[in-house]
Amino acid sequence: MAQKVDEQAAQRDDVDEIELALLLEGVYRRYGFDFREYAPASLRRRVWRRVHAEGLSTLSALQDKLLHDPACMERLLLDLSINVTAMFRDPTFYITFREKVVPLLRSYPFTRIWVAGCSTGEEVYSLAILLSEEGLYDRTRIYATDINEQVLDTARAGVFPLDKMQQYTQNYIKAGGKREFSEYYVAAYDGARFSRSLTENIVFAQHNLVSDRAFNEFNLILCRNVMIYFDKTLQDRVQRLFYESLSTFGTLALGRKESVAFTPYADSYEVVDAAERIYRKTA
Ligand SMILES: C[S@@+](CC[C@H](N)C(=O)[O-])C[C@H]1O[C@@H](n2cnc3c(N)ncnc32)[C@H](O)[C@@H]1O
């Protein structure tokens, strides 16, 4: 009896796996979004959440809906591209950035920066604030990209929830901020509206790290808390994209749980700061 139950469960898992693979293949062929090599456990959980949210009961039913209804694809995209972010997230990163990366940036007459996987923009606004306080913003162009067009709209608008400002002010102070954080925004009916001067040198654009190519050469690339959702193959592919997109002696800044160690490019970088995952391309 117990053996039969086990067998049935194993069969269900097999079917589930086939259905998930077909769904991801369908999404890729219909829309070009490639989630086929995303880390499977969290991907499966998120896709199932969408199955239930759409009032469906199988992955195949969701696949059918996705193929015929682009709005459903948008909703799945939001589920899959975990958008959690914050201003001056991990404040010690910004302290180290001021100490160790800013001097490198000062050596360039003009700096091109790529913030990949920028989500709703909090990170790129934080960077713009830091660079303007260091007197570097005017000679910088920042390309801020994400796979998800909807989060980019929020980033372009530069309006963030007012109730987050207390936490962001704390982060800003811990990150070594040099002014009053409230100087950078005005409280409006729809939230904290950040100064337009901060976006003057930022270009927001959709870019898929998995399937799109390099589009420029950068002195600095920030890609924090994006690759944690990718499996090893995909991480290596994105590392290659960054390697090819960085100028020699360019800087790569990753998230706390990300690294260039154990990638094919490990020997091409020197460590600028091990704890904050900041690297410099040397070869
Ligand atoms: C957790 S957020 C990180 C935001 C920000 N970098 C930070 O550290 O606060 C991850 C972002 O990566 C984006 N993303 C996921 N897969 C992507 C892909 N293949 N190409 C580009 N962006 C992607 C998501 O849309 C999401 O906005």
Side-chain angles (χ1 to χ4, degrees), residues 91-106 127 130-131 134 136 174-178 251 272-276 278:
T92 55
F93 168 80
Y94 290 90
I95 299 252
T96 306
F97 189 95
R98 279 188 205 263
E99 275 172 15
K100 299 189 177 172
V101 181
V102 163
L104 302 175
L105 300 184
R106 284 199 202 290
L127 183 65
L130 186 156
L131 292 173
E134 297 295 335
L136 287 170
K174 285 190 208 149
K178 294 187 173 171
T251 304
V272 174
D273 190 281
E276 302 299 344
I278 302 174

Side-chain angles (χ1 to χ4, degrees), residues 33-35 38 77-78 80-87 89-90 94 115-124 145-148 151 206-212 222-230 234 238 255 258:
F33 294 118
D34 193 354
F35 293 102
Y38 275 42
L77 198 57
L78 279 177
L80 293 185
S81 57
I82 310 98
N83 303 118
V84 181
T85 187
M87 293 192 89
R89 181 182 192 173
D90 305 325
Y94 290 90
V115 180
C118 68
S119 188
T120 37
E122 286 83 339
E123 181 181 44
V124 68
T145 63
D146 201 281
I147 190 176
N148 186 327
V151 293
Q206 191 188 37
H207 181 278
N208 186 342
L209 288 167
V210 177
S211 50
D212 293 340
L222 254 83
C223 183
R224 311 186 64 233
N225 310 301
V226 180
M227 278 190 278
I228 31 170
Y229 303 107
F230 298 171
L234 213 52
V238 177
E258 297 155 339

